C-alpha cells in the first residue's frame, strides 16, 4: 500500500491541483493521498464524491507554525495554539503529523518535550525542503525521540505527486491505529521536488489573491 501524507488541492491558496485530476493520478499510480489543505477541509467532500481512497487531513497554521492533522472530521481553525491543536486532533480520533519541522522558511515548529510526546508522526522527508539538512535534522529528531518517521511530497502541482510516498503493509485505511502499526514497517520512497517549485507556489498564491480566486 502506498501513502503520501502531505498533498494539497486548489482549496489551498497556493495550489492549483484539481481534485478530479489528483483522483485520476492517485488511481493510476496506486498512491493514497492525505488531503492536507491549508486551514480547510473543503476538498474532502469533493474527493469523497470522486470515490477514491484518501485520508482526511488539514495542514493547520497554528500560532507557532504548521501542524498536520490526519483523520479529521472538523476543521481546526487557523492560529489555534500548537499544543491545543494537537489535542483537538486527538479529540477527533485523528493523528498529529509534524511537517517540515526544521524548515524555517516554511513555518516549521520545533516542539517542546511535552509536545513531542503527544505527536504521532514526524515528517522526516518533505520533497519541498530547499536544504536537505532540514530533512536530515528531522530524521535525527525522530530517531532520538523514538517517533514514527514518514515522508510527504507536499505537492502543490500535480506533477509533484507520485515521486515521494510511504510503502506500507496493507491495513484498514479508516483505522488510524492500524496506520501507525503499518507505518512501523514502512519503506520511504523519496525524491526532492525541482528547485523552482517553491517560488512558483508563492506566485500562484499572489496571483490567486490578486484575482480573488477562492478555490
Ligand atoms: Zn503543505
Amino acid at each position: 500500500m502506498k501513502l503520501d501524507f502531505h498533498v494539497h488541492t486548489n482549496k489551498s491558496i497556493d495550489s492549483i491541483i484539481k481534485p478530479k485530476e489528483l483522483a485520476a493520478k492517485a488511481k493510476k499510480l496506486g498512491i493514497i493521498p492525505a488531503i492536507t489543505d491549508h486551514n480547510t477541509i473543503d476538498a474532502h467532500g469533493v474527493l469523497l464524491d470522486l470515490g477514491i481512497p484518501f485520508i482526511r487531513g488539514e495542514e493547520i497554521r497554528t500560532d507557532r507554525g504548521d501542524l498536520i492533522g490526519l483523520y479529521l472530521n472538523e476543521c481546526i481553525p487557523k492560529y489555534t495554539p500548537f499544543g491545543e491543536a494537537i489535542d483537538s486532533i486527538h479529540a477527533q480520533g485523528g493523528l498529529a503529523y509534524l511537517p517540515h519541522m526544521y524548515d524555517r522558511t516554511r513555518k516549521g515548529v520545533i516542539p517542546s518535550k511535552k509536545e513531542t510526546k503527544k505527536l504521532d508522526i514526524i515528517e522526516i522527508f518533505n520533497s519541498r525542503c530547499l536544504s536537505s539538512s532540514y530533512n536530515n535534522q528531522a530524521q535525527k529528531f525522530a530517531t532520538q525521540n523514538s517517533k514514527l518517521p514518514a515522508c510527504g511530497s507536499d505537492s502543490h502541482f500535480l506533477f509533484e505527486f507520485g515521486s515521494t510516498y510511504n510503502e506500507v503493509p496493507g491495513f484498514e485505511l479508516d483505522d488510524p491505529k492500524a496506520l501507525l502499526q503499518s507505518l512501523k514497517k514502512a519503506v520511504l520512497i523519496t525524491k526532492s521536488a525541482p528547485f523552482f517549485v517553491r517560488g512558483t507556489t508563492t506566485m500562484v498564491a499572489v496571483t490567486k489573491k490578486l484575482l480573488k480566486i477562492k478555490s
Side-chain angles (χ1 to χ4, degrees):
M1 207 162 168
K2 296 173 183 171
L3 304 167
D4 181 349
F5 291 115
H6 195 158
V7 181
H8 294 269
T9 75
N10 58 9
K11 300 291 178 191
S12 293
I13 190 136
D14 55 357
S15 169
I16 55 164
I17 297 180
K18 292 188 178 118
K20 203 175 171 181
E21 289 170 8
L22 175 66
K25 191 166 180 186
K27 204 171 164 187
K28 190 175 152 211
L29 299 177
I31 299 175
I32 298 169
I35 304 301
T36 57
D37 284 316
H38 299 289
N39 313 300
T40 177
I41 58 167
D42 285 357
H44 294 184
V46 186
L47 267 295
L48 267 178
D49 289 345
L50 289 166
I52 60 141
F54 70 100
I55 296 172
R56 304 176 315 273
E58 177 193 349
E59 185 165 19
I60 310 143
R61 172 60 55 86
T62 71
D63 64 337
R64 279 165 42 214
D66 290 338
L67 174 68
I68 284 179
L70 302 172
Y71 295 100
L72 297 185
N73 295 309
E74 281 168 39
C75 187
I76 296 172
K78 199 174 180 181
Y79 303 133
T80 298
F82 183 76
E84 229 175 82
I86 299 176
D87 293 340
S88 298
I89 292 167
H90 289 150
Q92 295 188 39
L95 301 174
Y97 173 106
L98 187 63
H100 48 67
M101 62 179 286
Y102 284 102
D103 196 335
R104 280 166 214 101
T105 61
R106 286 189 304 142
K107 296 283 175 193
V109 177
I110 299 175
S112 68
K113 279 262 178 245
K114 201 175 146 198
E115 289 161 348
T116 302
K117 272 192 189 144
K118 291 203 264 181
L119 291 166
D120 300 292
I121 304 167
I122 304 287
E123 186 176 77
I124 63 155
F125 185 92
N126 177 297
S127 303
R128 290 186 149 224
C129 279
L130 288 183
S131 163
S132 58
S133 76
Y134 299 145
N135 286 329
N136 295 341
Q137 281 176 278
Q139 182 164 16
K140 211 170 146 192
F141 180 90
T143 308
Q144 281 171 346
N145 291 281
S146 307
K147 302 308 283 185
L148 265 178
C151 60
S153 69
D154 206 355
S155 295
H156 285 69
F157 298 93
L158 194 62
F159 76 86
E160 294 176 85
F161 179 71
S163 57
T164 290
Y165 56 87
N166 306 264
E167 181 116 48
V168 299
F171 67 98
E172 190 57 57
L173 188 64
D174 289 336
D175 183 351
K177 287 201 177 104
L179 183 148
L180 293 178
Q181 283 304 318
S182 184
L183 196 56
K184 287 179 184 168
K185 295 185 183 136
V187 176
L188 275 51
I189 312 295
T190 60
K191 195 180 167 201
S192 290
F195 193 71
F196 64 85
V197 168
R198 278 218 64 247
T200 321
T201 302
T202 311
M203 288 272 291
V204 170
V206 170
T207 312
K208 273 189 167 183
K209 260 183 195 154
L210 285 174
L211 298 172
K212 291 196 169 43
I213 297 170
K214 229 193 142 244
S215 62

